[in-house]
Amino acid sequence: MSLTSNATLETFQERIDQGEYIEPKDVFPDEYRKHLIRQMSQHAHSEVIGMQPEGNWITRAPSLRAKQILLAKIQDEGGHGLYLYSAAETLGISRSEMINQLQTGKAKYSSIFNYPTLNWADIGAIGWLVDGAAIVNQVSLQRTSYGPYSRAMVRICKEESFHQRQGYEIMTKMMRGTNEQQKMAQDAMNRWWWPSLMMFGPHDSNSPNSGNAFKWKIKRESNDVLRQKFIDKTIPQALLIGLTIPDKDYKLNEKTGHYEIGKINWEEFNNVINGNGPCNKQRINHHIKYHNEGAWVREAALAYSKKQK
Ligand code: FAQ
């Protein structure tokens, strides 16, 4: 519901400041609704598009166990997309409109899913680094001010921690394996490390959406704070299994206890989010193709549900 007067706007802000959750039938500003639709739909699209790079390896998983785990993980990601689309629908946008925005390039999805998965080690790197980065961000979003988004995050975080561990297990196994396997794991680390850091978005000083996001407690921690948490957690994990950090400038600052890193290549990030990454076109074309091929399923489900009424 949109706000009409300053008085109601103040009441809304007071509720936010007191840490109350906002629910779909409450009164809130249209800008709050738009901000949430943007972020939540982009989050949902990321989960669904994120199934593609991993799906590429289901038929080539190295064992039945690895295949079962990967299948379960990818199904989880599809489920996360569905929770998030449902949560966004409570804001008055239809799923078909969100999908249209994705397919026409009006809505973004995470930059990370525009990179290719070249070999099995990439599946380890995605689970460990990409899901690892996603969890750091999503744990913080469990306290986001919009009730349906916050509740979706609680469920999603439980599943993401299993994803992160399965990825780390793959990397650990490869680092304990042959020279070739160790090289593959290091090569995957080299290719996924920097794009994982970019997942957290631009530096705080360059993040246009952060102002309102903090005012309305949609975001609870900044892009840079979350990125630093991920760096501090992940570097020791990499070193423990013998991986090298692909950053000649990284070092532990003994005084702060935080790792410092070299410069992130924002030109690469901007290229990717503007549609020019290695796999952007492939990802969207694939989505359109299978969305169209699945039209009959949606029609049948709709016809069935109408018949039940
Ligand atoms: N990629 O002003 P800010 C997952 C855009 S889930 C693409 O800082 P904001 C699970 C941003 O949208 C991963 N675009 O924006 C999985 C904005 O453009 P806009 C997804 C990006 O919203 C694992 C512009 O740059 N997670 O991985 C990115 O305050 C494995 C300026 O940025 C979420 O979506 C990026 N990385 O902060 C699935 C979490 N970063 O919209 C399968 C929810 C920034 O104005 C396999 N989202 N941009 O045109 C968020 O927390 C926030 O939206 C941020 C960005 C932190 C991503």
Side-chain angles (χ1 to χ4, degrees):
M1 207 180 292
S2 296
L3 283 177
T4 47
S5 73
N6 284 345
T8 36
L9 191 61
E10 265 171 37
T11 316
F12 166 76
Q13 192 60 48
E14 270 167 25
R15 291 189 60 202
I16 295 274
D17 295 343
Q18 282 164 10
E20 277 183 44
Y21 284 106
I22 305 298
E23 295 298 336
K25 289 191 175 156
D26 292 346
V27 175
F28 46 78
D30 207 39
E31 288 305 309
Y32 178 78
R33 188 180 74 86
K34 283 191 195 141
H35 192 119
L36 279 169
I37 289 178
R38 177 192 64 84
Q39 178 166 327
M40 291 165 69
S41 68
Q42 293 187 169
H43 197 163
H45 299 325
S46 305
E47 299 281 357
V48 170
I49 296 285
M51 297 165 79
Q52 290 186 35
E54 291 182 304
N56 190 29
W57 281 88
I58 295 173
T59 54
R60 290 173 287 171
S63 67
L64 184 58
R65 177 180 180 272
K67 192 192 199 83
Q68 281 174 321
I69 293 173
L70 184 60
L71 264 172
K73 179 196 187 294
I74 297 173
Q75 277 185 354
D76 284 351
E77 307 299 2
H80 297 172
L82 298 186
Y83 306 157
L84 285 162
Y85 282 128
S86 298
E89 279 174 314
T90 65
L91 292 156
I93 184 167
S94 69
R95 192 165 312 193
S96 56
E97 198 177 336
M98 288 186 268
I99 293 197
N100 182 267
Q101 289 177 353
L102 167 71
Q103 294 185 342
T104 55
K106 279 191 206 127
K108 296 186 169 75
Y109 57 89
S110 183
S111 48
I112 194 77
F113 301 119
N114 292 305
Y115 292 86
T117 39
L118 304 180
N119 61 52
W120 179 251
D122 290 26
I123 298 304
I126 291 185
W128 171 45
L129 298 174
V130 176
D131 284 271
I135 297 173
V136 170
N137 175 286
Q138 291 172 156
V139 163
S140 174
L141 284 173
Q142 289 180 111
R143 293 183 297 116
T144 193
S145 59
Y146 190 56
Y149 194 18
S150 160
R151 290 188 286 276
M153 284 299 106
V154 173
R155 278 185 79 165
I156 289 176
C157 281
K158 287 191 183 136
E159 293 173 353
E160 297 286 26
S161 50
F162 150 70
H163 298 169
Q164 192 268 353
R165 279 169 209 188
Q166 66 84 35
Y168 193 55
E169 187 196 47
I170 294 175
M171 295 303 269
T172 308
K173 251 191 183 164
M174 294 188 89
M175 289 307 287
R176 286 183 187 153
T178 61
N179 271 343
E180 275 85 1
Q181 285 170 318
Q182 291 171 5
K183 273 192 200 143
M184 276 167 71
Q186 184 62 54
D187 167 59
M189 171 73 176
N190 295 349
R191 286 181 290 107
W192 291 91
W193 173 248
W194 290 103
S196 300
L197 301 183
M198 293 174 198
M199 282 176 73
F200 295 91
H203 286 310
D204 297 348
S205 54
N206 216 4
S207 160
N209 297 297
S210 281
N212 281 340
F214 280 116
K215 184 168 86 183
W216 295 325
K217 294 194 178 160
I218 291 172
K219 253 184 186 171
R220 305 306 304 256
E221 287 170 291
S222 78
N223 297 2
D224 283 328
V225 165
L226 293 172
R227 185 171 11 249
Q228 188 63 49
K229 276 193 183 174
F230 172 73
I231 291 168
D232 289 340
K233 251 170 109 152
T234 311
I235 289 183
Q237 292 171 356
L239 300 178
L240 184 70
I241 58 174
L243 284 166
T244 303
I245 313 300
D247 174 357
K248 61 179 175 30
D249 295 321
Y250 99 89
K251 59 174 185 295
L252 179 64
N253 181 326
E254 301 283 353
K255 271 196 201 144
T256 62
H258 294 298
Y259 283 96
E260 291 169 3
I261 61 158
K263 279 208 172 82
I264 294 176
N265 182 348
W266 293 114
E267 197 184 322
E268 173 180 327
F269 171 78
N270 286 326
N271 252 333
V272 173
I273 69 170
N274 288 320
N276 303 315
C279 302
N280 295 58
K281 289 182 185 66
Q282 182 185 331
R283 300 290 182 241
I284 290 297
N285 289 342
H286 185 91
H287 192 278
I288 294 172
K289 178 173 189 285
Y290 287 97
H291 187 71
N292 291 344
E293 282 183 17
W296 71 270
V297 180
R298 292 189 294 280
E299 279 160 25
L302 213 62
Y304 181 75
S305 75
K306 273 187 190 150
K307 215 174 156 200
Q308 299 298 302
K309 280 178 191 162

